[in-house]
Amino acid sequence: MPESTAREASPGASADRINLRFIVLIVAVATLGGFMFGYDSGVINGTQDGLEAAFDLSALGTGMNVAAILLGCAVGAFIAGRLADLVGRRRVMLLAAVAFLISALWAGAADTSIHFILARFVGGLGVGAASILAPAYISEVTPASIRGRLSSIQQIMIIFGLTGAFVANYALAATAGGSTAAFWLGFPAWRWMFWMQVIPAGVYLIALLFIPESPRYLIAKGRDAEADAVLSKLFGPGAGGRKAAEIRASLATDHRPRFSDLLDPATRRIHPIVWAGLVLAVFQQLVGINIVFYYGAVLWQSVGFSESDALQINIVSGVLSIVACLCAIAAIDRIGRKPLLLVGSAGMAVTLGVMVWCFSQGGLVDGALRLDDRTGLIALVAANAYVVLFNFSWGPVMWVMLGEMFPNHMRGSALAVAGFAQWIANFGISVSFPTMAASLGLTITYGFYAVSAAISFFLVSALVRETRGRELEEMTG
């Protein structure tokens, strides 16, 4: 494969050139996991009517069926971080692809709520694994000077996956005449919304067979010749050899990676860098972004939009999210990670506050909140501004930082813990939304998300350190 003309940034590496085409190729394959992450998360949006009709669900039951994937995500993220240290990043991503295939087929065919929950749990194992391994893998095969931009592609692919699911759902519902209407082979459209996922899952599985294993994993396992070959292809022979030496020097050689690495040796307390990672992981969910992703159609129908209009609004939100992620890619290696997080926290607090005000102006019609046209438009604009701000900041930056902020010897364990916390927070927010919205109302519910966004500003200011331009081997916590 032809090499790019970009020079390796390491001192004395003037004779070496980064093989940018090869790097972009393997990053593209790895971020297909992000696409699947987004598709599997977004496909549920627009299927709630079908699930409720098929399984006779209560508000709590709907929440459990929607959020079942998230428990699988928590388990998948927790297992994948450590399993990747044992058998490799690529092999675990292959297992994730298989989980996506099984889940898509099973969820669409589920005849009971229990079967559906189990199918979505299996899909969650794949999502959880892909969510933490794609950023980790990308950070381990890219140079520091462009790592932020390439790692941010993960979030764009997540949004592409979400938008792809929204478009497929809209097309299927529009063609069939509604999500619960009969479609191909007499099955309702909502079941085909899940079966459509087989196509991207199959592409992901096949593509993974053509990318190399992470060189940092290979060195940790003593497979130096393979690691040297990968690094030489990525960065050139001279720079590749130097990077291999840096990786060997940075890895703890006296023991295998273990969870006790997360403790500060001096105090035997959880290392501050782990706390910073947990804050990023948990507060990315406490600001409520996945309520828009999972319940967007239901939310907009509850304030007066039709099902067709609500599904189209989801598509608009997805397109705006992609644009915001592209802006983040342009900015993240120039102005840094922490400034983007701070801008996002402040902006989300304001836009969520506007949504809270809008919901407080509504009235109940047949037990559902209704807004007048003007207030509904303000709420719609505020919601999309919120989505844009999230995807300009916390959306991509959280994943970039989790992939690069931890020292080599604890990266797998720290990712396991942070990923588990992130998905548990996601589960708690998602499963509680239908009940909170019904019992407390949208005003109080979104007020909680607004307060969380405001708190995140101060936590980032106090705990998060900038990682822009630093090599992974320089990360010490």
Side-chain angles (χ1 to χ4, degrees):
M1 179 177 292
E3 294 185 346
S4 76
T5 58
R7 291 188 181 280
E8 169 59 43
S10 298
S14 59
D16 289 302
R17 297 179 185 273
I18 297 171
N19 191 344
L20 190 57
R21 291 185 183 180
F22 182 54
I23 291 173
V24 170
L25 175 63
I26 61 179
V27 166
V29 172
T31 54
L32 285 175
F35 182 91
M36 293 309 307
F37 170 2
Y39 198 105
D40 216 355
S41 299
V43 70
I44 198 73
N45 194 330
T47 66
Q48 282 97 324
D49 288 346
L51 294 173
E52 290 170 0
F55 305 141
D56 191 25
L57 301 175
S58 63
L60 179 60
T62 298
M64 288 299 299
N65 277 261
V66 169
I69 188 175
L70 303 177
L71 290 179
C73 291
V75 175
F78 187 77
I79 293 175
R82 292 291 292 116
L83 189 61
D85 283 335
L86 298 176
V87 302
R89 279 64 162 148
R90 192 182 72 136
R91 286 180 181 174
V92 179
M93 287 192 284
L94 283 166
L95 292 174
V98 172
F100 288 133
L101 283 169
I102 294 172
S103 174
L105 293 170
W106 192 5
D111 56 357
T112 68
S113 178
I114 294 298
H115 284 175
F116 182 82
I117 288 172
L118 290 174
R120 294 290 284 169
F121 180 87
V122 171
L125 295 175
V127 172
S131 71
I132 65 167
L133 289 185
Y137 178 87
I138 293 168
S139 71
E140 292 178 350
V141 297
T142 54
S145 59
I146 57 173
R147 188 178 61 233
R149 277 170 281 175
L150 293 178
S151 296
S152 297
I153 294 174
Q154 166 81 350
Q155 181 67 16
I156 288 185
M157 293 300 285
I158 292 172
I159 301 303
F160 266 121
L162 284 163
T163 306
F166 295 158
V167 170
N169 286 1
Y170 173 74
L172 288 167
T175 304
S179 61
T180 58
F183 195 49
W184 293 330
L185 303 179
F187 292 106
W190 69 267
R191 292 188 181 275
W192 284 101
M193 292 176 184
F194 293 106
W195 287 331
M196 287 290 289
Q197 186 184 341
V198 169
I199 298 172
V203 171
Y204 179 45
L205 178 63
I206 294 170
L208 283 170
L209 300 174
F210 296 95
I211 65 172
E213 182 54 84
S214 162
R216 285 172 174 81
Y217 166 78
L218 294 172
I219 290 175
K221 289 298 182 181
R223 295 159 61 179
D224 290 1
E226 295 175 64
D228 289 343
V230 173
L231 287 167
S232 294
K233 189 170 185 179
L234 290 170
F235 305 115
R242 285 188 292 275
K243 283 188 177 294
E246 292 170 2
I247 294 170
R248 292 186 188 97
S250 70
L251 291 170
T253 57
D254 58 339
H255 67 271
R256 294 178 181 273
R258 59 197 182 197
F259 283 111
S260 60
D261 294 332
L262 304 182
L263 301 179
D264 188 322
T267 64
R268 302 307 297 170
R269 296 178 180 176
I270 295 177
H271 202 290
I273 195 67
V274 178
W275 281 118
L278 288 172
V279 164
L280 291 174
V282 171
F283 273 83
Q284 194 209 42
Q285 294 306 310
L286 294 187
V287 299
I289 188 64
N290 280 324
I291 298 306
V292 177
F293 291 154
Y294 299 152
Y295 295 102
V298 173
L299 172 63
W300 296 119
Q301 288 180 74
S302 75
V303 295
F305 291 91
S306 68
E307 179 185 56
S308 178
D309 289 340
L311 291 173
Q312 290 183 63
I313 290 170
N314 286 339
I315 295 173
V316 171
S317 296
V319 172
L320 290 173
S321 297
I322 292 170
V323 173
C325 286
L326 290 172
C327 292
I329 286 178
I332 193 167
D333 283 324
R334 294 184 179 181
I335 67 175
R337 285 66 159 149
K338 188 170 181 176
L340 290 181
L341 290 172
L342 293 173
V343 168
S345 293
M348 289 189 295
V350 171
T351 51
L352 284 167
V354 172
M355 292 181 69
V356 169
W357 176 84
C358 291
F359 293 143
S360 72
Q361 304 304 301
L364 294 177
V365 177
D366 297 328
L369 177 69
R370 289 292 183 268
L371 305 179
D372 61 52
D373 291 345
R374 175 177 170 275
T375 308
L377 179 60
I378 294 173
L380 182 59
V381 171
N384 279 294
Y386 158 73
V387 168
V388 166
L389 284 161
F390 176 86
N391 285 291
F392 179 67
S393 58
W394 280 76
V397 176
M398 190 278 289
W399 295 113
V400 170
M401 292 208 69
L402 288 188
E404 69 183 12
M405 68 190 292
F406 303 114
N408 277 343
H409 71 279
M410 70 163 64
R411 185 170 296 118
S413 298
L415 278 170
V417 171
F420 180 81
Q422 201 263 355
W423 288 110
I424 287 295
N426 192 333
F427 174 80
I429 290 294
S430 300
V431 77
S432 65
F433 175 74
T435 302
M436 287 179 66
S439 60
L440 300 177
L442 291 176
T443 301
I444 294 177
T445 302
Y446 273 75
F448 171 79
Y449 306 146
V451 170
S452 296
I455 292 173
S456 72
F457 180 92
F458 299 101
L459 289 175
V460 168
S461 298
L463 297 177
V464 174
R465 296 181 180 180
E466 184 57 65
T467 57
R468 176 170 63 103
R470 298 176 62 193
E471 295 289 348
L472 297 187
E473 286 65 51
E474 298 174 24
M475 304 296 179
T476 62

